[in-house]
Amino acid sequence: MKEKLSEAIQIQDKSIVSRQIIKKPNGNITLFAFDKNESLTEHTSPFEALVQIVKGRMTITIGGNPFQVEEGEIILLPPDIPHGLVALESTIMLLTMIK
């Protein structure tokens, strides 16, 4: 399979869309599309995860500390630390979670 990540998912009005690319017992890779101002409320995960912004920009809050992450940048989400996300504009994000 060969695809351009920025074209592999469509941003939808006032929505968050996800597409699972790989799901394995030891982790998964999921592509997300967020419309502007869409968010995931603060939550935790027992696993480490890597977020890569494919297109757009987000504020990602980790343990109460906000980080602005832009196209082409990555940020690590540590396990068991609360985190939340807000799309500052229409955004495509790739999430890689390792179990």
Side-chain angles (χ1 to χ4, degrees):
M1 172 175 101
K2 179 182 174 185
E3 284 186 273
K4 197 171 197 178
L5 285 175
S6 61
E7 297 171 1
I9 195 167
Q10 299 298 313
I11 294 168
Q12 296 181 14
D13 287 345
K14 300 178 183 175
S15 297
I16 301 171
V17 180
S18 66
R19 176 180 170 203
Q20 199 156 58
I21 296 177
I22 295 174
K23 183 176 182 172
K24 302 283 183 179
N26 59 339
N28 53 55
I29 299 174
T30 307
L31 193 60
F32 289 88
F34 291 77
D35 196 14
K36 182 179 180 179
N37 297 322
E38 291 298 314
S39 64
L40 292 178
T41 57
E42 189 174 75
H43 60 281
T44 60
S45 171
F47 308 110
E48 191 168 49
L50 181 75
V51 171
Q52 175 185 352
I53 304 300
V54 175
K55 175 183 174 186
R57 63 193 173 97
M58 305 185 100
T59 296
I60 300 177
T61 302
I62 304 169
N65 299 307
F67 301 90
Q68 186 168 313
V69 188
E70 301 184 1
E71 186 171 319
E73 294 182 331
I74 60 172
I75 191 165
L76 186 64
L77 303 177
D80 301 316
I81 303 292
H83 57 272
L85 313 110
V86 178
L88 301 174
E89 57 190 63
S90 294
T91 300
I92 296 175
M93 173 192 98
L94 187 68
L95 177 72
T96 303
M97 185 177 294
I98 308 295
K99 295 180 181 180

